[in-house]
Amino acid sequence: MTKTFPIGGIHPDKHKIAGDIAISSPGLPEIVYIPIKQHIGAPAKIMVNKGDKVKVGSLLAAADGVVSAPIHSSVSGEVIKVEDIIGEFGYYEPMIAIKVEGDVWEDCIDRSDEIVREIPDDCEEIIAKIRSAGIVGMGGAGYPTPIKTTIPEGKKVDCLILNGIECEPFLAADDRLMQEKGEQIIIGAKILNKLLGIQKAIIAIDENKPKAIEIITKLTKRYVGVNVRVCESKYPQGGEKQLIAAITGREVPSGKLPIDVGCIVQNVGTVFAIYEAVMKNKPLFERVVTISGDSIEKSANFMTRVGTPASFLIEKCGQISDNLGQIVFGGPMMGTSAVNPDAPITKLTSGILLLSCALSDKQPETPCIRCGKCLDACPMGLQPNAIARAVRSHNLDALQELHVLDCIECGSCAYTCPARLPLLDCCKLAKMELRQHQTKK
Amino acid sequence: MLKISSAPHMSSPINTSTIMRDVIIALVPAAIVSILFFGLGALTVIISSVAACMLCEYAICRWLLHKKSTLRDYSAVVTGLLLAYNLPAWFPIWMILVGAFVAIGISKMAFGGLGKNIFNPALIGRVFLFVSFPLQMTTWPKPKFLDFLYTDAQTGATTLGIIKHIDVKNSTEALTQYSTSISELPSYGQMFIGYTGGCIGEVSALALLLGFGYLLWRKVISWHIPFYYIATVFIFTSILWLTTKSPIYDPIMHLLSGGLMLGAIFMATDYVTSPMSTNGKIIFAIGCGLLTVIIRLYGAYPEGVSFAILIMNAFVPLIDRFAAPRVFGTGRK
């Protein structure tokens, strides 16, 4: 029986071209640009100066407070610049540029392929390792992981869900990781189990990844308490609240967090990074990035060092076709179209997609015909067209009533709208206006 | 040259024009049946109504509003077809022009064009013609299979017209009239394929149901409004029929006669003038069903569908407010 979330959802074309392509190394670029903010919260404090020599895994910037994460060098070489460079969103961001010289790793990192299965006894030690490795939620939110693994006073957790849904079209990074590093992910789940003081973990995989389901199911037989649940291929099945509802039937109340219904959801990529940090002493400085799209010759899944310019990866994938419209960082539903193709990969970049004009061009807006398709698509039960109307007439009271702050910004409404209204933009704008209004009060 | 746009970077292949095109395709079987049974009489009505609606929209867009014509969304074609389907064969062309002007000009464009109108334009056009030209609107040529020119057609009453005149009082005179009236009624089979008097597009339940199947398959509409509308009519008339045993309440006859199928499948499901949420659609459809039976049986007119839908159109904003979907994470009912 496949599981799914209770309301809304859409079925965009999957385009999972990269699902059968093994993870490979793209090699090292000449220069990497490492942003000092790759997470939600305060930017990290820069600890290096121009001219410093660093190794792979050296600390470049330290966490600034609790809601922050340290940044490590992904290459060995010389720091050549510490300055503002245009990032994936098109804004100048402070970055550390390192000229690559060789590939010398910090000595403490275990580079062997051997799988370590002995989980350390001391929870404090585990959390300290996760914190110093700079691990953040790699599904896209970038919330520092140590906070998510520490249960606040008065809350109880009884359900750990590993998110292997990857419902965005084209992306296959998590799929490949599950196929190739399945056991490490399961050990990572056991580490989290220990931290949370529970025995069970559920790995949620959506039904369009039969190989990952098969491999993980086979592996879980050797680990007590870890189970696979197959979910329907529907977007946004991988949304945190949707996944919890699909697996447990619990609804995270409006304005609350998963922990309020006793659940913790971690992306499988994050869990793999936890394994590497705890068992291999390896900080988070590389991740799987899917290069795909309908405007590039070959797709690939690259184990990419953070800071590698996207253009370096794109060059490894053959010819770009003439009809290229956009280069998207992340998935086509929630990703950002890049202003600068040289922008670096961060801890949160799950994919670089080259989308054709035919696929990605925005069509002109026509009048709303009140078809109600956005209501049927919204996984949160909102009324996107009413939100659009209210935000365009600056009706803040109406926005409040329409629960716009519950919007998860999945874009199902805008994808579906036959009149091509920019419904997601309107929802984002509405959330911003309403938040500003509330803080003013 | 790279383009920059906000998420999402993909969109569904369905847009307003493809939806309207699908509705037009779904209306084709009814057009074929009407031409088979009413020949040239139906064809002239369909062509002149569609042409008049398109011309009217074009003229208003270009010469009154000075903006780009909105003909390419095909919604004027849909209105034109639906207006034609609500008229009898051989309906005078100049009256069709008046109807098209009322439908497009007054009911749609005056409210701000597609998406802004409160009432279904084709129905407003029909009701305007109905109250302005009651004689022509109730002159029903009898169907003749494959007689294309169809110039010598006799006229007769529709099923609902016949039962409207049945006097249920128990006098001898009434009884004789009763039996002659009953003998005039077409059989269920005739009504199902459309071999009966009536507006050109409403006669054939079969053709309309084919169109309904297509709309469902293409996911243009959900099944809720047609199902609940038709089911309400069926249940309401069944209760009356079972308690009185009078043939004027015959539920199957009520399903197959008049504009019920056309109204329930194509007019009550008009996106613009029907509720958006599923619960809203159900409330709307049940309201339409109840009003249809009440008007048919107790009102002055034999036909209830047009008025029922128009009345419920007026309630749509209220229904939308009342039947808003439940927000995820707020109290489960």
Side-chain angles (χ1 to χ4, degrees):
Chain A
M1 247 289 277
T2 59
K3 295 183 172 272
T4 191
F5 52 96
I7 38 180
I10 55 171
H11 295 91
D13 289 341
K14 306 277 182 304
H15 297 287
K16 295 283 191 189
I17 315 160
D20 290 328
I21 299 169
I23 299 171
S24 60
S25 165
L28 294 172
E30 275 173 33
I31 299 170
V32 294
Y33 301 90
I34 302 177
I36 58 159
K37 185 170 190 287
Q38 302 181 30
H39 47 260
I40 284 180
K45 271 190 298 207
I46 300 173
M47 309 295 275
V48 288
N49 294 304
K50 194 175 158 181
D52 287 2
K53 295 279 181 187
V54 293
K55 290 180 183 173
V56 178
S58 303
L59 185 72
L60 296 179
D64 189 9
V66 180
V67 189
S68 183
I71 306 286
H72 299 81
S73 178
S74 60
V75 293
S76 59
E78 186 188 330
V79 176
I80 52 168
K81 272 187 243 171
V82 180
E83 63 178 33
D84 289 358
I85 295 164
I86 296 177
E88 65 175 290
F89 298 108
Y91 296 112
Y92 280 96
E93 294 173 46
M95 294 192 201
I96 298 167
I98 301 167
K99 191 165 186 304
V100 180
E101 291 158 8
D103 194 26
V104 186
W105 290 44
E106 289 279 356
D107 298 330
C108 59
I109 303 171
D110 174 1
R111 293 183 69 184
S112 70
D113 285 336
E114 204 180 318
I115 296 175
V116 187
R117 298 184 177 84
E118 288 297 313
I119 299 170
D121 274 332
D122 185 6
C123 285
E124 293 295 320
E125 184 196 331
I126 296 175
I127 293 205
K129 277 187 168 177
I130 293 174
R131 183 171 291 125
S132 63
I135 296 175
V136 299
M138 288 162 75
Y143 197 67
T145 304
I147 309 173
K148 228 170 143 180
T149 50
T150 333
I151 306 166
E153 199 81 23
K155 307 272 178 180
K156 259 175 91 177
V157 171
D158 62 354
C159 184
L160 168 67
I161 302 171
L162 269 58
N163 188 345
I165 300 288
E166 205 169 46
C167 52
E168 283 258 17
F170 289 106
L171 299 185
D174 290 347
D175 185 7
R176 286 314 305 183
L177 200 64
M178 285 189 286
Q179 292 183 41
E180 295 177 35
K181 310 280 183 190
E183 186 159 6
Q184 288 91 322
I185 292 170
I186 294 170
I187 297 168
K190 296 312 285 181
I191 297 173
L192 282 172
N193 271 353
K194 192 177 179 79
L195 286 182
L196 301 171
I198 56 175
Q199 302 303 316
K200 281 186 187 164
I202 291 164
I203 305 180
I205 310 176
D206 86 344
E207 60 189 339
N208 69 5
K209 301 178 181 60
K211 283 185 192 147
I213 294 170
E214 194 195 315
I215 290 167
I216 299 278
T217 310
K218 212 186 259 171
L219 287 167
T220 49
K221 299 224 166 82
R222 282 190 270 147
Y223 290 86
V224 182
V226 183
N227 289 298
V228 173
R229 290 278 184 284
V230 180
C231 296
E232 193 190 321
S233 282
K234 188 160 90 171
Y235 182 87
Q237 190 73 264
E240 203 168 44
K241 292 179 176 182
Q242 278 62 41
L243 190 55
I244 292 170
I247 300 289
T248 66
R250 301 174 199 167
E251 270 187 21
V252 179
S254 169
K256 298 277 176 141
L257 293 169
I259 202 153
D260 294 304
V261 291
C263 294
I264 296 274
V265 180
Q266 293 282 7
N267 169 267
V268 288
T270 317
V271 179
F272 177 67
I274 290 172
Y275 163 85
E276 292 210 308
V278 176
M279 309 303 234
K280 300 272 191 179
N281 282 319
K282 188 179 156 193
L284 177 53
F285 58 75
E286 61 179 0
R287 66 159 297 146
V288 185
V289 178
T290 299
I291 315 292
S292 190
D294 62 342
S295 277
I296 188 144
E297 201 179 326
K298 287 180 289 186
S299 289
N301 293 296
F302 287 137
M303 185 58 92
T304 311
R305 305 283 174 90
V306 165
T308 306
S311 52
F312 177 80
L313 301 179
I314 296 168
E315 277 164 25
K316 307 274 168 188
C317 289
Q319 204 74 38
I320 299 171
S321 55
D322 294 336
N323 60 0
L324 174 70
Q326 302 187 3
I327 295 180
V328 173
F329 275 61
M333 295 300 295
M334 293 181 78
T336 327
S337 55
V339 181
N340 171 18
D342 296 324
I345 303 300
T346 71
K347 295 171 184 176
L348 312 182
T349 314
S350 45
I352 304 290
L353 304 180
L354 288 90
L355 305 180
S356 66
C357 292
L359 193 76
S360 64
D361 272 5
K362 291 263 189 276
Q363 304 298 318
E365 186 182 336
T366 60
C368 172
I369 52 170
R370 290 177 34 86
C371 63
K373 287 184 193 292
C374 54
L375 275 73
D376 291 338
C378 181
M380 297 305 288
L382 308 180
Q383 303 175 59
N385 65 343
I387 291 170
R389 207 165 47 234
V391 75
R392 284 174 167 180
S393 56
H394 300 284
N395 187 343
L396 289 168
D397 293 336
L399 287 178
Q400 187 89 47
E401 248 175 71
L402 289 164
H403 286 270
V404 68
L405 293 178
D406 283 311
C407 170
I408 58 166
E409 302 182 11
C410 66
S412 298
C413 49
Y415 172 87
T416 316
C417 181
R420 304 295 182 231
L421 297 175
L423 293 172
L424 176 59
D425 299 347
C426 289
C427 289
K428 287 179 177 170
L429 194 64
K431 287 169 82 169
M432 209 177 75
E433 283 194 4
L434 200 56
R435 286 217 179 95
Q436 278 172 357
H437 178 72
Q438 284 172 348
T439 43
K440 246 185 255 166
K441 263 195 219 163
Chain B
M1 257 291 276
L2 278 181
K3 292 180 185 169
I4 306 294
S5 69
S6 54
H9 307 286
M10 282 169 80
S11 52
S12 146
I14 295 164
N15 60 39
T16 305
S17 300
T18 65
I19 288 171
M20 294 297 171
R21 205 181 54 210
D22 276 336
V23 176
I24 294 167
I25 293 171
L27 284 166
V28 165
I32 294 171
V33 170
S34 72
I35 293 165
L36 286 180
F37 291 157
F38 301 108
L40 203 56
L43 196 61
T44 50
V45 170
I46 293 173
I47 290 175
S48 47
S49 170
V50 171
C53 283
M54 290 173 73
L55 187 74
C56 191
E57 182 153 322
Y58 183 81
I60 290 173
C61 282
R62 293 306 301 273
W63 298 319
L64 207 63
L65 303 173
H66 301 292
K67 57 177 198 182
K68 256 180 81 180
S69 139
T70 47
L71 282 184
R72 288 191 56 184
D73 62 27
Y74 301 125
S75 65
V77 180
V78 172
T79 303
L81 275 176
L82 288 174
L83 177 64
Y85 285 9
N86 275 294
L87 302 173
W90 288 124
F91 193 70
I93 290 177
W94 72 269
M95 291 182 190
I96 295 179
L97 296 182
V98 174
F101 174 75
V102 173
I104 295 286
I106 295 176
S107 172
K108 181 177 162 189
M109 299 310 281
F111 280 86
L114 180 65
K116 312 281 197 317
N117 49 307
I118 301 167
F119 299 104
N120 186 314
L123 282 179
I124 290 283
R126 171 192 154 81
V127 166
F128 180 85
L129 293 174
F130 194 66
V131 292
S132 311
F133 312 108
L135 180 67
Q136 289 83 348
M137 278 297 279
T138 49
T139 307
W140 312 105
K142 284 188 174 171
K144 278 173 106 178
F145 187 60
L146 279 182
D147 177 1
F148 187 67
L149 284 177
Y150 184 74
T151 39
D152 57 343
Q154 290 183 301
T155 59
T158 63
T159 311
L160 291 173
I162 296 167
I163 62 155
K164 196 81 199 178
H165 292 105
I166 294 177
D167 196 345
V168 276
K169 275 183 231 114
N170 235 345
S171 64
T172 343
E173 200 185 336
L175 268 177
T176 355
Q177 191 206 350
Y178 179 91
S179 48
T180 44
S181 299
I182 294 297
S183 67
E184 283 175 37
L185 287 175
S187 71
Y188 293 152
Q190 282 172 331
M191 286 197 276
F192 186 68
I193 59 159
Y195 196 72
T196 170
C199 296
I200 59 169
E202 73 182 20
V203 288
S204 174
L206 174 66
L208 294 166
L209 287 171
L210 276 178
F212 183 37
Y214 179 77
L215 291 181
L216 286 181
W217 175 62
R218 296 283 298 163
K219 297 204 173 82
V220 173
I221 58 170
S222 71
W223 52 274
H224 299 89
I225 292 181
F227 174 81
Y228 280 96
Y229 192 164
I230 293 169
T232 306
V233 171
F234 186 77
I235 292 168
F236 194 174
T237 50
S238 294
I239 294 169
L240 294 171
W241 186 65
L242 288 172
T243 47
T244 61
K245 297 272 184 251
S246 162
I248 67 163
Y249 302 129
D250 179 353
I252 296 174
M253 183 208 70
H254 274 281
L255 288 200
L256 298 175
S257 61
L260 181 62
M261 290 284 173
L262 180 64
I265 297 168
F266 290 98
M267 320 274 264
T269 55
D270 171 31
Y271 287 152
V272 180
T273 56
S274 67
M276 293 184 295
S277 69
T278 302
N279 285 339
K281 285 175 180 152
I282 295 171
I283 297 171
F284 175 82
I286 292 174
C288 285
L290 292 176
L291 284 172
T292 299
V293 178
I294 291 170
I295 296 169
R296 274 186 181 182
L297 297 174
Y298 309 111
Y301 295 110
E303 282 278 358
V305 171
S306 328
F307 292 108
I309 295 175
L310 286 175
I311 292 168
M312 289 312 290
N313 283 166
F315 283 105
V316 166
L318 275 179
I319 297 173
D320 265 341
R321 243 188 120 72
F322 175 76
R326 183 182 68 86
V327 175
F328 183 97
T330 59
R332 212 190 277 247
K333 274 176 201 165

